[in-house]
Amino acid sequence: MDWYSTLFELIDMRSFSNLWFWIMLAVLWSSVSHWVLGVPYDLVLRARRSGGQYEADLEDLVRINVSRLMFISQGSGLWMTSFGCFVITTLAVLGFFYRIEFAQAVFLVLFPLIFVGLLSLSAARGIQADEVQGDELYKRLARHRIYVQLIGMLSIFLISLWGMYQNFQISPLN
C-alpha cells in the first residue's frame, strides 16, 4: 500500500461523513460561544455574582479587547474584509460550482463566523461609544452570547442538513 492512499484513508476528505469534522464543529461553536468579545463567559458570571475584583477584572478585560477590536477594524478592516470576501467566494465557487466537498465544508463553517465577527464588532462599538460598565455590561455581553449561540445553532442545523444530503447523494443505495 502506498503512502498516498494510506494518508487519505486516515484523513478522509469527505468531510460530512467524517467524525473529526463534527467534533471540530462542536468544539468551534462551543469555544466561540464561551469567549464573548475575547472574555470567557464564566468570568462574566463570576463578576455578576461576586462583584469586587472580578468586576474590575472583567471591565478591564472588556476594555482591552474592545480597544483591540476597534484598532484592528480601523487599521486593517478594509484589507481583512477584502481578503475574507476573496476566501469565502473562492470556497463557495470550489464547493458548490465544482462540487468539492471539502470546500463546501470549510465554507459552511466559515460563513456563519462572518456574522459572529460583524456582531462582535457592533457590540464592541456600542460598548466603547456608550462607555458601558456594571449591570449594563453584563446585559450586553449576555445578549451578545445569546445571539452567537443562535447563529451557532442555526449553523450546525444547516450544516447537518447539507451533510445528510451530501451523504445520501453518494451513498451506495442510489
Side-chain angles (χ1 to χ4, degrees):
M1 190 175 264
D2 59 7
W3 67 273
Y4 186 77
S5 62
T6 305
L7 180 67
F8 275 98
E9 282 181 27
L10 184 64
I11 306 170
D12 187 11
M13 296 304 278
R14 291 188 49 232
S15 302
F16 299 112
S17 62
N18 193 338
L19 178 64
W20 292 108
F21 172 76
W22 297 105
I23 291 172
M24 179 275 310
L25 188 65
V27 168
L28 172 81
W29 281 108
S30 175
S31 298
V32 168
S33 67
H34 178 69
W35 292 88
V36 181
L37 293 179
V39 178
Y41 197 70
D42 62 305
L43 180 60
V44 176
L45 295 176
R46 196 175 314 125
R48 177 183 277 175
R49 218 176 301 122
S50 302
Q53 184 61 42
Y54 294 119
E55 186 174 9
D57 290 346
L58 173 71
E59 289 175 356
D60 289 341
L61 200 51
V62 168
R63 181 184 46 78
I64 290 167
N65 286 325
V66 163
S67 296
R68 188 176 141 266
L69 270 174
M70 297 310 296
F71 177 76
I72 291 171
S73 72
Q74 291 167 356
S76 60
L78 182 62
W79 286 103
M80 289 175 58
T81 302
S82 301
F83 182 71
C85 288
F86 169 76
V87 169
I88 287 296
T89 304
T90 302
L91 287 171
V93 169
L94 287 173
F96 298 105
F97 184 74
Y98 290 109
R99 299 185 192 279
I100 298 173
E101 186 175 328
F102 185 73
Q104 290 175 2
V106 175
F107 173 83
L108 290 172
V109 168
L110 292 181
F111 187 70
L113 292 175
I114 292 171
F115 296 107
V116 171
L118 291 173
L119 188 66
S120 297
L121 192 57
S122 174
R125 279 194 180 125
I127 289 171
Q128 188 178 50
D130 298 341
E131 297 180 4
V132 178
Q133 294 179 339
D135 285 335
E136 182 64 25
L137 180 62
Y138 303 144
K139 288 178 186 175
R140 287 200 188 188
L141 292 175
R143 190 177 328 124
H144 177 73
R145 182 173 191 235
I146 288 171
Y147 292 153
V148 168
Q149 287 175 333
L150 289 173
I151 292 170
M153 287 189 312
L154 181 64
S155 170
I156 291 171
F157 178 71
L158 293 175
I159 290 172
S160 64
L161 286 179
W162 185 257
M164 285 187 286
Y165 172 74
Q166 288 296 321
N167 287 336
F168 284 136
Q169 290 294 328
I170 51 179
S171 72
L173 299 175
N174 290 339

